[in-house]
Amino acid sequence: MLHGPNLNLLGQREPGIYGPVTLDAIDSLLQETATELGVQMNSLQSNHEGELVDAIQQALHQYQGILINAAAYTHTSVAIRDAISAVNLPTVEVHLSNIYRREPFRHHSYIAPVAIGQISGFGAESYRLGLQALVRHLRQAKL
Ligand code: DQA
């Protein structure tokens, strides 16, 4: 699980948009979901684009898939998109808010075209749904 910039401030950051839930609570929800699904999940938050690129590159021989909320980098980062393309690991994009109901600059995602799919608008539940979708995809791919 990769969390992008400013998501470390969840809980205090624009609660009207992102809700009261903290990043720790989201990670706990994801760990619970991972246990239910019988998979292992690790989580990293970074405010730095290059650190997220490094983490995507390092995922290659360590993980089978990527769940990512690239936050503002969703709308700006060719580097993150290229890293996902380069490692070619199944990736699910998630957002707390429905980015298509917000400002026009949030309507475009550089990541969506290189992701299996996107889940946007369900608050913390977006993450749980995203992890479930990723694991189902990986298991189907193995059949
Ligand atoms: C976000 C949506 C982005 O537009 C924004 O920059 C974020 C959070 C979300 O989860 O709703 O930081 O990715």
Side-chain angles (χ1 to χ4, degrees), residues 46-61:
S46 178
N47 292 324
H48 305 280
E49 187 176 16
E51 258 177 37
L52 293 163
V53 170
D54 286 345
I56 293 164
Q57 290 185 10
Q58 285 158 15
L60 188 52
H61 298 296

Side-chain angles (χ1 to χ4, degrees), residues 14-127:
E14 301 183 85
I17 294 173
Y18 299 116
V21 69
T22 63
L23 195 63
D24 279 353
I26 288 173
D27 279 340
S28 300
L29 177 77
L30 281 173
Q31 285 298 354
E32 206 177 274
T33 308
T35 304
E36 281 165 18
L37 291 165
V39 298
Q40 278 189 6
M41 196 247 7
N42 286 320
S43 170
L44 172 86
Q45 188 275 329
S46 178
N47 292 324
H48 305 280
E49 187 176 16
E51 258 177 37
L52 293 163
V53 170
D54 286 345
I56 293 164
Q57 290 185 10
Q58 285 158 15
L60 188 52
H61 298 296
Q62 248 185 307
Y63 298 101
Q64 289 171 278
I66 298 173
L67 190 61
I68 186 167
N69 183 351
Y73 289 141
T74 304
H75 319 297
T76 63
S77 182
V78 177
I80 290 177
R81 173 208 179 110
D82 282 355
I84 293 169
S85 266
V87 299
N88 202 23
L89 283 171
T91 297
V92 173
E93 174 184 358
V94 298
H95 299 283
L96 292 141
S97 62
N98 178 350
I99 56 175
Y100 303 100
R101 289 183 73 172
R102 300 184 61 196
E103 303 94 322
F105 68 84
R106 296 185 203 276
H107 296 180
H108 177 259
S109 165
Y110 277 101
I111 294 166
V114 295
I116 315 164
Q118 183 196 68
I119 296 169
S120 175
F122 297 97
E125 192 60 21
S126 291
Y127 293 82

